Amino acid sequence: QVQLVESGGGSVQPGGSLRLSCAASGRAVNRIDMAWFHQAPGKEREFVARMNWSGSTAYSGEDVKGRFTASRDTAKNSIFLQMNSLKPEDTGVYYCAARQPKVGYFTNPAEWSYWGKGTQVTVSA
């Protein structure tokens, strides 16, 4: 079993920054694939970024890749999502997810086994 706890959400103005954290327990972050998902109000959960067991990252698109950066600290057994140049459409709940290392699809929430409870991000003037 893997337990995940997110933190770092909050309210910021457009153009601001936040750094989300996801603390893992039950498995080392360099032994599992991990990801960030975003769920906007009234919408489905969508993939944002992935960091696999080896540290390789992938992002949902060029817009996110240019503004968000996924990283990890193995000593803290945590991953992070640095979010810059935030936009109102980034508002929503951000979830951390994990699974056993797997080659293949990773953008579908159904591909992930473990989830945190989420942290709220609100971007508003």
Side-chain angles (χ1 to χ4, degrees):
Q1 282 282 20
V2 178
Q3 293 79 42
L4 305 170
V5 179
E6 303 96 334
S7 61
S11 295
V12 296
Q13 294 185 342
S17 298
L18 284 172
R19 187 185 191 222
L20 306 184
S21 300
C22 173
S25 59
R27 197 84 168 131
V29 295
N30 58 1
R31 297 293 184 95
I32 53 177
D33 292 346
M34 298 187 72
W36 289 98
F37 285 79
H38 167 230
Q39 188 162 17
K43 296 188 176 181
E44 295 185 350
R45 202 169 295 189
E46 294 183 337
F47 169 77
V48 176
R50 180 219 67 187
M51 176 170 282
N52 75 356
W53 65 273
S54 71
S56 176
T57 56
Y59 297 91
S60 60
E62 290 302 315
D63 177 64
V64 167
K65 188 177 182 179
R67 299 187 295 123
F68 295 1
T69 303
S71 63
R72 71 183 181 189
D73 185 332
T74 55
K76 295 181 179 179
N77 211 40
S78 297
I79 66 167
F80 308 96
L81 186 67
Q82 177 67 44
M83 304 189 298
N84 299 325
S85 303
L86 283 162
K87 305 176 181 179
E89 51 263 44
D90 296 321
T91 293
V93 180
Y94 284 76
Y95 295 92
C96 178
R99 68 182 188 185
Q100 297 304 317
K102 179 180 177 181
V103 175
Y105 299 111
F106 52 80
T107 62
N108 188 334
E111 293 289 329
W112 296 84
S113 304
Y114 307 100
W115 293 88
K117 294 183 177 180
T119 185
Q120 174 72 40
V121 170
T122 303
V123 184
S124 174

